[in-house]
């Protein structure tokens, strides 16, 4: 069974034996996921301390490696698949998504050229077109897969820069007297990936102008128009506007249609960040939140967030992928092929040469659940989030801090006579998180400490929301009895 004495790979009988064991292991893991603490309970550095600090000189028995999965790795895992993972955005993989990763690893293709990976290249086109139709986007949008929304958005801004014809591809940005300050506009609730994209592209964070939001945390279009006018007068070049449908802190929705009017008027690239909420467009009743996104130049949607596809898979839809190609295509002699004029080569659309076969797992997910199955799951998540929000609203000891357009609830605990509510909420959140029973995260809204509960796991049921509610009540009573501040006092 042991292949260490020979050269070459593990023998196929050994692969089969451990492969079956691993599938059993993963099936048990999914079955028992609720028995694990949501957040890993280890101390920082303890995994490192438990592992030898140099590689084994001779190969080990793979059974011993697998045993360490239980002993060493599992305790150090924060279980994103746990149905009570409600922090950040709750994201999880489906089982078929795992199958997609198994095949992709087995093929180990690097989708740079059509020739090196026809399956990945063509399946990516087909799958992204299926997804486009499910989202209700018009047929002139064409997609490309990157790892993360951060990278998708960086490419979108690079495309905007290419479109603006500033000769940055050849002349760069440094040492130029002829290049004024370029501006990227987004709301003050925009995700930090936009700041980072500005850093990476050499625009600098001073290029990013953050526009004020209204009391619902939505960008105010009139403020955007004012900023563009002011910048244009100052001689700056407005490059790109990035509204978000489903912001990170509250899942608020910027008014994309009104923003598209402004972009059209001034001829500015419109990139819409729907990294989190994009899949919600599958639900007909949520389409109103997406009004105007069909007018965008580019849109980012992450199936790895709310479409049961294992990390990573982010999609950038562009109205004209050719702009991206103009920005990045560069074909050295050793990558020239006889069919290059007739095919799409993935390497032409970004900074990566090799690209993973990511489309496969999304194709599996869409085929296994179908559009209807996906819609039903997303709809249930929205129902559960709204149910939780209704408990918050009905209680005079809790308060809703933002509207709930999708499946994220922003709230806080505000019992009678407690003066430092920020400290109380933080204390209760930390107590729940340390217990391992559930994971909540927080944000600050207008300076106020706010709890965030995201519903997005493929395994989540009503009982999981009830559990969080009970935990919150239990912690609140505990704090109150310690402080003698309950209402009955
Ligand atoms: N945009 C929004 C609105 C997000 O909420 C996030 C992450 O939560 C991102 C972008 C970044 O996503 P990624 O981790 O895929 O880069």
């Amino acid at each position: 069974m042991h292949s260490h004495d020979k050269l070459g790979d593990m023998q196929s009988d050994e692969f089969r034996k451990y492969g079956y064991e691993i599938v059993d292991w993963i099936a048990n893991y999914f079955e028992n996921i609720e028995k694990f603490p949501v957040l890993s309970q280890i101390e920082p550095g303890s995994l490192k301390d438990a592992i030898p600090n140099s590689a084994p000189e001779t190969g080990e028995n793979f059974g011993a490696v697998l045993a360490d999965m239980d002993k060493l790795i599992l305790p150090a895992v924060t279980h994103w698949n746990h149905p009570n993972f409600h922090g950040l955005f709750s994201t999880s993989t489906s089982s078929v998504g795992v199958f997609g990763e198994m095949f992709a690893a087995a093929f180990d293709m690097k989708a740079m050229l059509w020739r090196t990976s026809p399956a990945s290249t063509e399946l990516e086109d087909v799958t992204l077109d299926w997804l486009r139709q499910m989202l209700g986007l018009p047929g002139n949008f064409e997609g490309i897969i990157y790892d993360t929304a951060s990278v998708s958005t960086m490419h979108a801004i690079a495309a905007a820069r290419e479109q603006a014809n500033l000769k940055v591809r050849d002349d760069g940005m440094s040492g130029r007297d002829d290049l004024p300050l370029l501006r990227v506009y987004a709301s003050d609730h925009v995700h930090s990936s936009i700041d980072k994209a500005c850093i990476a592209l050499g625009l600098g964070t001073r290029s990013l102008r953050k526009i004020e939001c209204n009391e619902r945390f939505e960008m105010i279009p009139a403020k955007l128009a004012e900023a563009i006018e002011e910048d244009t007068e100052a001689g700056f070049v407005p490059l790109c506007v990035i509204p978000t449908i489903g912001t990170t802190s509250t899942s608020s929705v910027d008014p994309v249609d009104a923003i598209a009017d402004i972009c059209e008027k001034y001829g500015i690239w419109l990139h819409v960040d729907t990294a989190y909420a994009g899949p919600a467009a599958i639900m007909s009743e949520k389409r109103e939140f997406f009004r105007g996104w069909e007018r965008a130049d580019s849109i980012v949607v992450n199936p790895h967030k709310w479409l049961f596809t294992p990390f990573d898979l982010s999609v950038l839809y562009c109205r004209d992928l050719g702009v991206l190609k103009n920005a990045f295509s560069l074909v050295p002699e050793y990558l020239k092929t006889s069919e290059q004029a007739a095919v799409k080569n993935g390497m032409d659309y970004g900074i990566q040469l090799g690209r993973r076969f990511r489309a496969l797992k999304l194709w599996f997910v869409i085929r296994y659940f179908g559009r209807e199955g996906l819609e039903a799951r997303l709809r249930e998540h929205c129902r559960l989030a709204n149910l939780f929000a209704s408990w918050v609203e009905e209680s005079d000891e809790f308060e809703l801090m933002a509207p709930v357009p999708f499946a994220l609830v922003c709230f806080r605990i505000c019992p009678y006579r407690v003066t430092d509510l920020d400290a109380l909420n933080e204390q209760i959140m930390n107590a729940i998180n340390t217990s391992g029973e559930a994971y909540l995260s927080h944000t600050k809204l207008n300076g106020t400490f706010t709890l965030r509960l995201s519903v997005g796991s493929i395994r989540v049921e009503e009982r999981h929301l009830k559990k969080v509610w009970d935990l919150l009540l239990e912690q609140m009573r505990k704090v109150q009895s310690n402080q003698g501040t309950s209402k009955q006092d």
Side-chain angles (χ1 to χ4, degrees):
M1 287 297 274
H2 204 58
S3 350
H4 289 134
D5 301 336
K6 297 186 187 141
L7 295 179
D9 194 13
M10 179 187 269
Q11 298 295 298
S12 62
D13 54 350
E14 194 180 358
F15 179 81
R16 216 168 256 118
K17 170 182 146 48
Y18 289 120
Y20 294 148
E21 266 182 41
I22 290 169
V23 170
D24 273 340
W25 193 100
I26 297 173
N28 287 335
Y29 170 66
F30 285 153
E31 259 167 29
N32 292 302
I33 188 86
E34 291 181 51
K35 295 189 182 140
F36 298 105
V38 185
L39 286 184
S40 167
Q41 307 279 297
I42 67 162
E43 289 299 319
S46 65
L47 176 60
K48 277 180 160 178
D49 290 344
I51 296 177
N53 49 21
S54 56
E57 191 59 27
T58 54
E60 296 182 59
N61 181 298
F62 195 70
V65 180
L66 273 188
D68 279 346
M69 287 298 291
D70 288 291
K71 198 171 134 224
L72 298 176
I73 303 300
L74 208 43
V77 172
T78 283
H79 298 280
W80 287 74
N81 283 309
H82 194 300
N84 278 117
F85 186 114
H86 302 291
L88 312 172
F89 280 120
S90 166
T91 70
S92 60
T93 184
S94 53
S95 303
V96 288
V98 175
F99 291 157
E101 289 289 27
M102 286 168 75
F103 278 110
F107 293 132
D108 189 32
M109 62 178 72
K110 290 89 195 171
M112 48 180 85
L113 298 166
W114 178 88
R115 174 179 291 201
T116 60
S117 32
S120 177
T121 308
E122 298 197 10
L123 196 67
E124 184 163 330
D125 275 353
V126 172
T127 309
L128 296 191
D129 202 58
W130 284 8
L131 181 64
R132 175 194 65 71
Q133 292 173 49
M134 286 162 51
L135 299 175
L137 281 170
N140 54 356
F141 278 95
E142 198 182 338
I144 182 99
I145 297 178
Y146 298 108
D147 50 2
T148 57
S150 307
V151 169
S152 294
T153 289
M154 191 198 75
H155 283 93
I157 301 174
R161 193 171 62 181
E162 178 67 24
Q163 176 96 327
N165 207 14
L166 301 164
K167 301 192 175 64
V168 172
R169 183 181 158 122
D170 293 327
D171 295 348
M173 297 183 69
S174 61
R176 285 178 66 175
D177 294 334
D178 62 327
L179 200 62
L181 184 72
L182 310 179
R183 279 287 205 208
V184 174
Y185 305 87
S187 92
D188 50 17
H189 274 259
V190 73
H191 188 263
S192 56
S193 56
I194 282 77
D195 305 60
K196 283 200 180 181
C198 289
I199 296 169
L201 291 168
L203 297 163
T205 51
R206 76 186 179 120
S207 275
L208 179 57
R209 184 158 178 181
K210 293 190 179 170
I211 308 295
E212 205 181 307
C213 287
N214 63 18
E215 70 293 345
R216 296 167 58 89
F217 315 106
E218 304 157 345
M219 191 197 292
I220 303 171
K223 298 273 180 200
L224 172 67
E226 258 172 53
I228 292 171
E229 287 284 350
E230 198 181 278
D231 282 348
T232 312
E233 256 169 53
F236 304 157
V237 175
L239 191 67
C240 181
V241 181
I242 309 185
T244 306
I245 300 175
T247 57
T248 311
S249 273
T250 70
S251 79
S252 62
V253 176
D254 289 332
V256 174
D257 210 26
I259 292 168
D261 288 341
I262 296 169
C263 289
E264 219 164 82
K265 178 173 169 195
Y266 295 96
I268 308 174
W269 185 282
L270 175 60
H271 173 63
V272 181
D273 182 354
T274 64
Y276 157 64
I282 295 172
M283 295 175 278
S284 52
E285 71 274 21
K286 297 292 178 194
R287 284 276 167 86
E288 58 175 306
F289 296 117
F290 294 82
R291 199 175 307 130
W293 76 329
E294 71 286 352
R295 300 169 65 190
D297 295 284
S298 56
I299 298 170
V300 57
V301 184
N302 275 8
H304 73 223
K305 281 206 198 311
W306 200 14
L307 212 59
F308 320 121
T309 306
F311 192 79
D312 46 16
L313 200 166
S314 173
V315 181
L316 181 70
Y317 283 109
C318 273
R319 227 170 344 134
D320 181 5
L321 262 191
V323 182
L324 208 52
K325 193 172 175 182
N326 291 342
F328 288 107
S329 178
L330 200 156
V331 188
E333 186 56 38
Y334 46 85
L335 291 172
K336 286 184 180 153
T337 60
S338 51
E339 70 276 9
Q340 67 189 22
V343 297
K344 185 169 172 181
N345 290 321
M347 67 171 191
D348 284 339
Y349 300 89
I351 54 171
Q352 273 188 277
L353 172 60
R355 303 164 64 254
R356 298 182 64 226
F357 189 1
R358 294 192 182 88
L360 191 63
K361 56 189 171 182
L362 181 57
W363 190 57
F364 281 9
V365 167
I366 297 175
R367 288 190 65 179
Y368 183 75
F369 295 106
R371 196 203 60 77
E372 266 183 27
L374 293 169
E375 180 181 40
R377 283 164 177 78
L378 300 177
R379 186 168 284 140
E380 175 65 0
H381 294 171
C382 295
R383 185 189 76 81
L384 293 177
N386 279 285
L387 180 67
F388 188 91
S390 72
W391 299 337
V392 168
E393 283 189 302
E394 283 157 20
S395 164
D396 53 10
E397 292 176 309
F398 286 76
E399 149 176 49
L400 208 53
M401 302 296 281
V404 184
F406 302 109
L408 173 75
V409 188
C410 290
F411 67 102
R412 70 172 178 164
I413 307 163
C414 49
Y416 183 66
R417 284 176 57 181
V418 175
T419 45
D420 192 348
L421 288 175
D422 281 5
L424 174 79
N425 279 273
E426 188 165 5
Q427 188 185 343
I428 289 178
M429 180 187 80
N430 289 339
I432 291 176
N433 290 345
T434 323
S435 76
E437 295 290 321
Y439 173 38
L440 299 175
S441 64
H442 79 282
T443 187
K444 278 204 169 165
L445 298 178
N446 300 321
T448 301
F449 192 94
T450 300
L451 299 173
R452 290 171 73 267
L453 175 130
S454 165
V455 183
S457 169
I458 195 159
R459 294 166 191 85
V460 71
E461 295 169 24
E462 194 168 319
R463 66 188 168 91
H464 298 113
L465 278 296
K466 184 74 178 62
K467 178 174 144 188
V468 176
W469 185 247
D470 290 342
L471 285 167
L472 285 162
L473 292 177
E474 182 191 316
Q475 287 300 329
M476 185 171 67
R477 299 291 169 240
K478 234 183 228 172
V479 173
Q480 283 174 330
S481 65
N482 286 345
Q483 297 179 343
T485 52
S486 73
K487 259 187 167 175
Q488 296 92 290
D489 283 353

